[in-house]
Amino acid sequence: MTVPPSPLSSSAAPDPLRDPWTAPMRRALAEAALAPGTGDVPVGAVVLSPDGTVLGTGRNEREATGDPTAHAEVLALRAAAAAVGAWRLTGCTLVVTLEPCTMCAGAIVLSRVDRVVYGARDAKAGAVGSLWDVVRDRRLNHRPEVITGVLEPDCAALLTTFFRDR
């Protein structure tokens, strides 16, 4: 499934920080769009290798699998680790439609990804700057770069529609 460009995410001026991440975020949005089919919240994630190759994808599957840890980020990180044959995902980037929660932020730190790119903020459970900032906690041994707000209107609209229609 392809997520078409949305008028919500068009911007007048180029954004050199966020623009490079729009294509991978569209891939994450396509993953997220599949989650409601199993009753899951539409969150999608993609892990990219240092050269931009997709190593793993995931979407929320808690309802589908009955697994409380089956968040999009965790599933994408697991798939990427399996693809490279190692748990250390040094040099990789995690792209996710919603700001990660504390569990996912912990997994991000432990997997050693270099960068986290997310779309919509999560004021209720976000752990990458909104409510907590686990990934940039100086007490931890790894702190990835964080890029926020990539296709934020599109990511937020998917969630808003899901919860409105429930």
Side-chain angles (χ1 to χ4, degrees):
M1 172 180 190
T2 304
V3 177
S6 164
L8 296 174
S9 61
S10 63
S11 92
D15 184 340
L17 180 64
R18 291 174 183 84
D19 289 350
W21 305 108
T22 58
M25 186 61 77
R26 289 201 191 290
R27 177 86 184 257
L29 279 163
E31 280 292 319
L34 299 172
T38 57
D40 283 288
V41 176
V43 177
V46 176
V47 177
L48 304 172
S49 71
D51 70 3
T53 303
V54 174
L55 294 175
T57 62
R59 61 181 169 274
N60 277 1
E61 294 184 6
R62 293 188 318 164
E63 299 298 328
T65 63
D67 178 355
T69 67
H71 287 203
E73 302 94 320
V74 170
L75 298 176
L77 290 169
R78 287 177 185 164
V84 300
W87 62 268
R88 283 186 183 89
L89 298 175
T90 307
C92 294
T93 299
L94 172 70
V95 179
V96 60
T97 58
L98 180 65
E99 178 182 359
C101 69
T102 53
M103 176 185 70
C104 294
I108 289 163
V109 170
L110 293 173
S111 70
R112 308 295 197 273
V113 296
D114 281 10
R115 183 178 303 102
V116 178
V117 177
Y118 72 82
R121 290 181 35 137
D122 186 350
K124 292 183 180 181
V128 184
S130 291
L131 192 55
W132 296 285
D133 201 353
V134 173
V135 300
R136 290 180 281 205
D137 189 316
R138 292 183 167 274
R139 296 168 292 185
L140 299 176
N141 64 343
H142 179 72
R143 290 180 296 281
E145 174 187 7
V146 176
I147 298 172
T148 67
V150 176
L151 298 180
E152 183 171 12
D154 300 55
C155 296
L158 191 59
L159 291 158
T160 299
T161 300
F162 175 79
F163 287 111
R164 183 188 61 223
D165 294 346
R166 285 186 90 187

